[in-house]
Each structure stands twice: as C-alpha cells, then as structure tokens.
Amino acid sequence: MFIELTDHLRCPQPHDESYLVLLPDRLEGRNVLEGQLGCPVCGRTVAVRDGVVDFGDAPEPAPGTLTVEAVHALLGLSGPGGYLGLIGGAGSVASGLAALLPGIALVAVNPPEASPGASVIRAARLPLKSASMRGMVLGPGLPEAWIQDGVLAVLPGLRVVGEGPAPDLPTLEVLAEASGAWVGRRR
C-alpha cells in the first residue's frame, strides 16, 4: 500500500466518513508492507499484510472484460497526480494502466489478483473517501451500493467507467453507453 493512499481511505463502518490513522511497522520506500490502520470514530483496527489492506469479508469479483486501451480512452485522464480506483474485476487492467498513466497512483479494491503498480485493498464496502479519486473503473456485477459509493469517490467533473447497464444516479451524468459498458461524469 502506497503510504499516501491513507489520505484517501475512510472507515467502511456505518458511521460518518472519517479519516484513518496509519501505524506502519515495515516500509519499503513509500510502500507500507506491514502495519495497521485505525479509525478514531469507532476504534476499529485493520491489518496491512504483505502490502494489502484487508478490511475483511471481500466479495469475489466477477471477471472484467474491458481492455486496458478502452479504459484508458474512456477515462480521458492526462497528467500526473492523484489516484484512480479500480473496483472488482476492473482490477485486471491495473498493470497495463500503470504503464499508460505514469504519475497516477492506482488503487485496486477486491481485484481478481494483486498487480504490481497498484495498491490492493480487500473490503466488503468501498473504503474510499468521497471526492478523493481522479477517476473510477467499476467492474461487472457490483451491488448498487458499490456503484453509488464508487461514483461519490470521484472528484466532481471527472469520469467513471463501468461494465453492465448504466446506473441512474443523481450524482452521475451518463455520457455514453454501448456494448455492456458505460462512461459518465460525476456531478
């Protein structure tokens, strides 16, 4: 887990959004390999092991079908800085996107497999703060709550790409939908 990711994480427990406190035990450069994250609101602590944050009870992701090139084009990101979220099966494009988006950090939540170039999180609820991501890619088969939280995690005006039918959310302006994929802009 890249140490600066801590600033973009929230406690997934059902309470007001709150920051988390990181207590690293072992670092390799700016990557936390072992440690703990703690919530000052509810007191929950979560382990970081082998660089993976595990909030527990992570669902099995459905395999994603979008290509690296398609995701890259649909996101419309350029320039360094910030984070891009890859949720569920969308995590399978992490290594390819890392090469195409230098300087943008990737966070994969419940990816099918760990990927070099992405911080990995396992969780039953999306643990990303509202308006903290430069973009979001939502894999197929995600529950409605994950899609809603994924859209809210993106900075207003930036894009969300998803597989499956386009959601009807007041926080999302759908720009295009075709062949089982959609792209929208966070309102």
Side-chain angles (χ1 to χ4, degrees):
M1 178 189 98
F2 195 56
I3 195 166
E4 282 82 8
L5 178 59
T6 305
D7 295 337
H8 302 277
L9 297 177
R10 69 171 187 186
C11 180
Q13 293 300 309
H15 56 66
D16 288 342
E17 192 170 287
S18 175
Y19 62 91
L20 296 175
V21 176
L22 172 66
L23 299 171
D25 292 328
R26 189 165 64 101
L27 296 164
E28 187 176 279
R30 306 288 299 157
N31 289 307
V32 179
L33 300 178
E34 307 290 332
Q36 289 187 341
L37 288 166
C39 175
V41 174
C42 68
R44 181 177 185 197
T45 60
V46 176
V48 180
R49 289 190 187 97
D50 298 321
V52 175
V53 180
D54 192 350
F55 287 96
D57 297 326
E60 190 68 32
T65 59
L66 289 174
T67 66
V68 172
E69 295 78 13
V71 169
H72 182 251
L74 292 171
L75 284 170
L77 288 175
S78 63
Y83 277 86
L84 171 64
L86 304 165
I87 312 303
S92 63
V93 299
S95 60
L97 277 179
L100 293 173
L101 298 170
I104 296 177
L106 304 179
V107 56
V109 181
N110 301 336
E113 57 198 34
S115 176
S119 294
V120 175
I121 298 173
R122 305 241 182 254
R125 180 175 175 213
L126 192 64
L128 301 174
K129 283 183 182 175
S130 297
S132 65
M133 301 282 118
R134 282 189 65 191
M136 185 71 64
V137 184
L138 302 168
L142 294 173
E144 186 177 328
W146 278 79
I147 295 169
Q148 290 173 357
D149 288 349
V151 170
L152 290 175
V154 175
L155 289 159
L158 297 181
R159 292 185 186 175
V160 180
V161 173
E163 290 190 64
D168 183 18
L169 300 172
T171 55
L172 181 71
E173 174 190 0
V174 175
L175 302 173
E177 180 179 12
S179 302
W182 53 271
V183 62
R185 183 180 6 233
R186 163 78 149 81
R187 291 185 178 153

